[in-house]
Amino acid sequence: MMRAAKEYTLAGDTAQGVDYQKHSRANYSVSTPENQAVVEYINDSELDAGEITEEIGYLVCQGHDENKIIDAARHNYLSRNNGDLAGWATFVFPRVKKTLAEARSRAIESGAILANDRQFTLSRASDLAREPTHAISLVKGVLPSEGFGMVYGPSGSSKGFFVLDLATAVASGKSWLGNKTTKVPVVIVNLEGGAAFPNRLHAWQKKFGALPEMMLVLNDSPFALLDETNVEALSTAINHAGAGGGLTIIDTLARAAGGIDENSSEAMGHVIASVERLQSAVGGLVLLVHHIGKDSTKGPRGHSSMLAALDCAIEISREGKLRTWRLAKAKDGDDGVGGQFQLEVVELGIDVDGDSITSCVVQHLESPFDDIRSSAVPKSGNQLTVYNTLNELLEQSLDLGRGGADPTTPCIRLDSAVIACRDRLTTEPKRRGERARSAIASLVSRGLFRFENDWLWRPNARRPADIQTSLSSVPATLPASLPPKGGAGKSGTKGDLISQKRDETGKPGNTRARGYLS
């Protein structure tokens, strides 16, 4: 990994040795009972970036909590520099991290603290709730400034192009789809399509102008996320390049952690721990690019612990030439927002055979997402069949406000929906379940339906009070009007929620929906 470190070595400011013994402020007394006092001191002081690194080094020697000190230093710097996250990420944060490491090493050597010393500080909830905190985002409403995120989607959905579009906006500080961005360094660890990636950069530059100066790339070089020495070497390269505290993109997770059993909770736990180790070393946001699972309604491929660990997640889907992105998860934010884009081909030159050399750039559609939702109703095929079936089921459902929906919104269970839709499809019988799930996932990604905690519902489809009252008096055994339309699915089998029944004449009658009317 020395190659990576050399590739990212840039001239810049480096932390100098600090004489920690010269500090004797009463505020930093070893007997200070709580780290909160230290935090308040730093926040109230008038320290410049250089002094901050000295002060935190001294505090580490005194055994104070390192994360608290970093948070305090960051808050102090941003509050005194108009929220200059780029300055913090590029100049201050790398020095802070290096000073912390130096100070802790010296403190351990001198016996001031133990190597395994760990302190915890509890705060009153009422103290934390005094004032709302202003969360700084890399892309407002989409990407947080710190943590662990993911962009996922099926193969061929243009995840890489989408991520490059995001990355250039963050590295340049230009707005992205009207959303304010914070200019920070960006590092792209490109592990797929190494030969094609330079062409993508060339295409972007030809279409939009010069690439941002602080967008760095590790291209087509092996990187093992689960190897601690690899993670350490990469974090060293990033910090030495002055790119710590920014946006670090790993494309893709499958290449970075190849060979693991993604469905194993233990293996996925190791991946999560490695990402968190990298994020702790470089700061900022680490963004993974990953594939979607076989059941696209359940998010990224692999064990569910991955989705649970994410601070943000963006899902990409594709139908023909049209791609859709959707914010599938946002901590302390509004998920479900998104938009649509397509790829624009850019001519780059002529090869030795006289053929055109091309690549693509992202072209966002101008329609707001709400408009896209209203115009995205399918016109034919499996999706239209599934769309109509889901609407019929929802009209008759007595389950309201499930899975996070509004209390007056009708909902249906995913399994019930799949069975009902499956029996209406005319495709090969053994593929109907798979096709039904795929169609439902596509409708969800396009915003026509919402899915959460195994429940489906239509956005903003609240049921009027008079209809609620009327339906509440209907027996739960009332058949739903869902006669099969060309389907030949099995009926009456165990676990099948949709079954045929015969009327009094012995002829096939209406379909009974047991599951979602219970």
Side-chain angles (χ1 to χ4, degrees):
M1 290 302 297
M2 291 302 296
R3 174 183 170 190
K6 290 180 180 178
E7 189 171 347
Y8 289 124
T9 299
L10 300 180
D13 197 9
T14 57
Q16 303 298 320
V18 178
D19 180 10
Y20 301 113
Q21 301 304 318
K22 73 179 183 178
H23 297 274
S24 60
R25 291 189 175 90
N27 306 74
Y28 295 146
S29 169
V30 178
S31 61
T32 300
E34 295 178 295
N35 288 330
Q36 187 62 33
V38 177
V39 173
E40 290 175 356
Y41 177 83
I42 292 181
N43 288 345
D44 292 340
S45 67
E46 291 297 322
L47 304 178
D48 61 23
E51 290 173 326
I52 286 175
T53 59
E54 293 188 18
E55 299 299 335
I56 66 170
Y58 177 77
L59 293 175
V60 170
C61 285
Q62 298 298 320
H64 293 292
D65 183 85
E66 296 180 23
N67 291 328
K68 279 277 191 179
I69 295 168
I70 291 177
D71 289 343
R74 181 176 181 270
H75 177 82
N76 178 65
Y77 180 84
L78 296 178
S79 63
R80 293 180 55 244
N81 293 275
N82 299 318
D84 180 20
L85 189 59
W88 164 262
T90 305
F91 303 111
V92 183
F93 181 75
R95 295 174 61 187
V96 166
K97 293 290 289 186
K98 187 168 184 177
T99 303
L100 277 169
E102 283 183 359
R104 186 166 183 81
S105 178
R106 293 184 186 183
I108 292 172
E109 290 175 3
S110 66
I113 61 175
L114 299 176
N116 62 349
D117 182 44
R118 186 70 175 92
Q119 297 183 2
F120 295 94
T121 302
L122 302 181
S123 302
R124 293 183 183 277
S126 57
D127 292 337
L128 296 177
R130 285 176 181 172
E131 293 183 7
T133 57
H134 173 60
I136 299 176
S137 303
L138 295 186
V139 180
K140 193 167 186 178
V142 180
L143 292 183
S145 61
E146 295 178 324
F148 169 23
M150 178 178 285
V151 174
Y152 66 91
S155 297
S157 59
S158 306
K159 300 183 294 292
F161 289 103
F162 177 84
V163 167
L164 179 60
D165 187 68
L166 261 179
T168 51
V170 171
S172 65
K174 296 180 179 179
S175 65
W176 187 78
L177 295 180
N179 298 305
K180 182 179 178 181
T181 64
T182 300
K183 183 179 179 180
V184 296
V186 174
V187 174
I188 301 176
V189 181
N190 180 55
L191 304 176
E192 284 199 354
F197 192 73
N199 283 353
R200 295 184 183 184
L201 296 175
H202 190 175
W204 194 95
Q205 189 163 260
K206 186 172 182 180
K207 178 68 177 180
F208 302 110
L211 286 160
E213 182 178 350
M214 281 308 292
M215 188 165 78
L216 308 176
V217 180
L218 177 64
N219 190 49
D220 203 22
S221 179
F223 169 69
L225 180 61
L226 298 180
D227 186 329
E228 289 188 22
T229 59
N230 274 225
V231 173
E232 182 179 354
L234 179 61
S235 61
T236 298
I238 291 173
N239 287 327
H240 281 179
L247 173 61
T248 302
I249 299 168
I250 299 179
D251 185 3
T252 61
L253 175 59
R255 286 294 182 92
I260 68 164
D261 179 4
E262 293 179 341
N263 293 316
S264 164
S265 61
E266 182 179 359
M268 197 59 79
H270 291 318
V271 171
I272 294 169
S274 294
V275 174
E276 291 177 341
R277 188 180 300 115
L278 176 62
Q279 195 279 332
S280 178
V282 301
L285 179 69
V286 175
L287 190 68
L288 302 180
V289 181
H290 192 33
H291 298 287
I292 201 165
K294 289 183 179 179
D295 184 351
S296 52
T297 63
K298 295 183 178 180
R301 190 174 69 194
H303 196 267
S304 58
S305 58
M306 173 60 76
L307 183 60
L310 299 175
D311 295 297
C312 66
I314 298 174
E315 179 184 334
I316 309 291
S317 60
R318 176 180 180 179
E319 184 176 354
K321 294 184 178 181
L322 192 64
R323 283 86 169 168
T324 301
W325 70 271
R326 180 179 68 91
L327 189 60
K329 181 178 181 181
K331 284 188 177 179
D332 300 322
D334 181 20
D335 59 8
V337 300
Q340 292 186 315
F341 66 95
Q342 57 190 18
L343 296 184
E344 178 182 343
V345 177
V346 178
E347 297 277 349
L348 303 180
I350 304 296
D351 65 14
V352 293
D353 298 319
D355 298 322
S356 295
I357 302 173
T358 64
S359 188
C360 299
V361 296
V362 167
Q363 182 183 49
H364 292 281
L365 301 184
E366 296 181 359
S367 301
F369 193 58
D370 288 342
D371 291 345
I372 292 170
R373 287 179 173 177
S374 63
S375 63
V377 176
K379 296 182 173 136
S380 61
N382 289 342
Q383 286 197 27
L384 178 59
T385 300
V386 170
Y387 176 79
N388 290 334
T389 303
L390 293 180
N391 281 322
E392 292 178 28
L393 293 172
L394 287 168
E395 286 175 3
Q396 300 176 64
S397 175
L398 299 181
D399 288 306
L400 305 180
R402 301 298 184 93
D406 183 89
T408 60
T409 299
C411 306
I412 52 173
R413 282 193 177 278
L414 174 63
D415 289 345
S416 304
V418 170
I419 292 172
C421 295
R422 177 196 69 189
D423 290 346
R424 288 207 175 172
L425 299 181
T426 57
T427 55
E428 186 181 357
K430 67 179 182 180
R431 301 292 301 277
R432 286 177 186 161
E434 175 188 341
R435 295 292 171 84
R437 282 184 176 271
S438 176
I440 291 173
S442 181
L443 294 173
V444 169
S445 69
R446 293 164 67 178
L448 291 166
F449 296 92
R450 292 291 301 273
F451 173 72
E452 191 172 335
N453 298 324
D454 292 327
W455 288 90
L456 285 161
W457 67 90
R458 280 184 310 214
N460 303 317
R462 297 177 179 85
R463 179 170 286 161
D466 57 339
I467 297 181
Q468 290 183 53
T469 302
S470 173
L471 282 176
S472 64
S473 63
V474 177
T477 57
L478 179 70
S481 300
L482 287 171
K485 296 184 178 179
K490 296 179 181 179
S491 61
T493 59
K494 183 178 180 180
D496 194 345
L497 301 181
I498 307 298
S499 64
Q500 289 286 329
K501 76 168 189 175
R502 296 180 177 273
D503 62 18
E504 295 177 355
T505 64
K507 297 179 181 180
N510 288 333
T511 301
R512 175 171 297 180
R514 300 187 190 124
Y516 50 84
L517 288 178
S518 58

